[in-house]
Amino acid sequence: MSTIKINNKNYEVPELTFAHSKVLEQCGVPLRRLIDPDLMFTIVSAFVTVVTGAEPAMADYLMEQHILGGGTIEDIYKAYIEAITESHFFKKLLESQEEKRKVKTTVKAI
């Protein structure tokens, strides 16, 4: 498990699981766009919600304070990408999505 500093406080980043996927969705991160730089603010907000256990409004406040205090959103996004790519559940989920895309592409080509 890794740690992340948000607004000058260290938090442990949990192994992301199915339960976390529901939190991410509830916070506006569609599972088909788990790694999408266009959704960086939404993803970071959801990730901070997961990591801190705070309500989404408090997670947004923590991120705002983090940025005002000199932190960057990119650091939090990078930690999120690392957590997603190291998660056994999300690795399998992303592999499954990739296989479905390959099948659709193959079917359309025929």
Side-chain angles (χ1 to χ4, degrees), residues 38-91:
D38 291 338
L39 296 176
M40 185 181 296
F41 281 78
T42 301
I43 288 170
V44 165
S45 175
F47 183 60
V48 172
T49 297
V50 166
V51 170
T52 64
E55 293 293 320
M58 178 55 100
D60 291 346
Y61 173 78
L62 290 172
M63 272 309 301
E64 185 172 330
Q65 295 306 306
H66 177 76
I67 291 168
L68 291 172
T72 69
I73 194 166
E74 291 83 7
D75 289 339
I76 307 299
Y77 185 72
K78 181 180 173 188
Y80 164 79
I81 296 298
E82 186 176 304
I84 284 287
T85 56
E86 291 180 2
S87 162
H88 294 89
F89 171 74
F90 282 101
K91 275 184 194 176

